[in-house]
Amino acid sequence: MKRYSRITGTGSYLPPRRLTNADLVAELAAKGVETSDDWIVERTGIRARHFAADGVYSSDLGLEAARSALQAAGRNPQDVDLIIVATSTPDMVFPSTACILQNKLGANGCAAFDVQAVCSGFVYALAVADSMIQTGAAKCALVVGAEVFSRILDFNDRTTCVLFGDGAGAVVLEASTTPGILASDLHADGKHVGILCVPGHVSGGAILGDPLLKMDGQAVFKLAVGLLESAAKATLAKANLTEADIDWLVPHQANIRIMQSTARKLKLSMDKVVVTVAQHGNTSAASIPLALDTAVRSGQVKTGETLLLEGVGGGFTWGALLLVL
Ligand code: UT7
């Protein structure tokens, strides 16, 4: 009998400090950086974001999301035999945020590692966990996307600092005799490294290069729209399904205009797209599981429905994953 993987619980967490556009506009104005609520809403759909307090790390946000997902799945930390954390803002250079989270959770002993694929990280991590469950290498995985992007933002650069926020989302993925994850499609093209990056590194005890986020927004936007369409279509083809079979598109929450454009290309009405970007901005690897958990808990998305998850981000990386909830 074929072995599948299936999501049995979802969770998410946003740190308590919430800044509306008006709050951020005022903070930036005090530094001489000019922006407006109108610009942010019109160009991105973002209305608020959450920032973690000093001393709070990706593992802390991920831990809250993980506990919530485990509770929803009716599982204990001891049931987990695999932890994958998707993050580009790890607690330390090493060990992995997954190992730190594992210890905080009390799931010591199981396999744990990070996936670094920036905003595509959660789709990558879920596809890896699915493969490990299908091969029998794992049977109860915790897949987490957790980010503290506020730590890598340049608050003198209005073209990027208004876009991102902190948060975490998680799912419990378990072995099942019924699907589950139907197909996935992952890609990367390193020739686009420079359009979205944090080009610094630690060397000899000092930071070399620039430790803050750099993005050519228009270049990212143009690439993203085409790549998301191709990944979505390739994933559907692998599962012998079409756009008409999708109940919900759960896209990376970067910009409402990218989501609208993707929906148009897939001939999906916006009524079938889960949109949470207004409330938390772009939380990179956390955005898809945050959106998924919000939709599950509000009853918008229901068990048995077919979901297409898709992400795109620095690397350049992109991918999609189709599942029955
Ligand atoms: O998560 C990974 C994926 N990342 C993304 O998906 C991001 C993709 N890119 C985008 O979402 C959009 O390109 C942005 C939201 C980043 C920018 O929107 P845009 O419509 O491409 O704006 P633009 O870069 O063409 O800038 C238009 C104008 C410029 O002024 P001029 O040159 O026309 O006078 C900018 O200087 O808007 C100006 N601008 C701002 N104005 C007020 C840029 N940022 C701001 C700002 N407030 N925060």
Side-chain angles (χ1 to χ4, degrees):
M1 192 182 292
K2 183 164 165 46
R3 186 175 159 110
Y4 296 95
S5 73
R6 183 160 207 160
I7 291 176
T8 54
T10 66
S12 62
Y13 181 74
L14 290 166
R17 184 168 175 237
R18 178 176 185 268
L19 281 93
T20 63
N21 288 346
D23 298 331
L24 188 62
V25 168
E27 279 197 12
L28 293 174
K31 297 160 59 79
V33 176
E34 205 182 308
T35 183
S36 67
D37 175 50
D38 284 352
W39 190 94
I40 301 170
V41 172
E42 189 189 313
R43 302 289 178 132
T44 71
I46 298 166
R47 292 181 184 276
R49 75 284 297 140
H50 292 244
F51 287 160
D54 289 348
V56 173
Y57 298 97
S58 289
S59 66
D60 298 308
L61 306 185
L63 177 66
E64 298 295 336
R67 283 187 174 140
S68 167
L70 285 169
Q71 190 177 36
R75 289 288 182 193
N76 297 312
Q78 292 70 33
D79 297 325
V80 173
D81 59 6
L82 170 67
I83 298 176
I84 307 181
V85 175
T87 187
S88 301
T89 46
D91 294 20
M92 300 181 187
V93 172
F94 72 79
S96 68
T97 302
C99 286
I100 299 168
L101 186 150
Q102 183 217 51
N103 188 46
K104 288 177 178 172
L105 190 62
N108 304 60
C110 72
F113 60 93
D114 287 359
V115 162
Q116 218 283 35
V118 201
C119 303
S120 312
F122 187 76
V123 172
Y124 264 69
L126 203 52
V128 171
D130 172 48
S131 301
M132 290 181 71
I133 286 178
Q134 281 191 49
T135 62
K139 60 176 190 301
C140 182
L142 190 57
V143 185
V144 182
E147 303 280 15
V148 284
F149 256 57
S150 60
R151 307 272 158 78
I152 54 168
L153 295 178
D154 178 353
F155 286 96
N156 289 307
D157 176 9
R158 67 177 186 174
T159 69
T160 53
C161 73
V162 302
L163 305 175
F164 296 90
D166 304 341
V171 301
V172 176
L173 191 72
E174 296 193 51
S176 165
T177 51
T178 55
I181 293 180
L182 302 172
S184 61
D185 189 58
L186 304 178
H187 297 275
D189 186 346
K191 77 169 176 276
H192 301 295
V193 162
I195 65 171
L196 179 48
C197 57
V198 177
H201 65 278
V202 176
S203 177
I207 295 165
L208 293 191
D210 193 332
L212 300 177
L213 185 148
K214 304 278 168 267
M215 179 168 76
D216 177 344
Q218 283 196 8
V220 170
F221 195 110
K222 279 183 204 140
L223 259 180
V225 169
L227 297 175
L228 288 171
E229 180 189 9
S230 63
K233 289 186 170 164
T235 308
L236 286 164
K238 285 182 187 177
N240 287 319
L241 294 178
T242 70
E243 291 90 325
D245 297 303
I246 300 173
D247 293 309
W248 293 99
L249 179 66
V250 188
H252 170 46
Q253 307 285 314
N255 185 322
I256 186 70
R257 291 187 293 138
I258 296 179
M259 293 185 245
Q260 288 163 338
S261 167
T262 307
R264 252 192 320 273
K265 284 177 184 287
L266 298 177
K267 298 185 185 65
L268 288 177
S269 126
M270 280 305 284
D271 296 344
K272 291 189 159 198
V273 183
V274 174
V275 179
T276 57
V277 69
Q279 292 312 317
H280 52 67
N282 184 344
T283 57
S284 192
S287 92
I288 293 173
L290 257 167
L292 176 62
D293 183 53
T294 303
V296 166
R297 284 174 195 266
S298 70
Q300 185 183 18
V301 166
K302 295 181 184 63
T303 303
E305 290 186 318
T306 301
L307 276 50
L308 184 74
L309 279 45
E310 52 162 29
V312 62
F316 220 63
T317 56
W318 67 99
L321 184 144
L322 191 69
L323 62 90
V324 176
L325 193 64

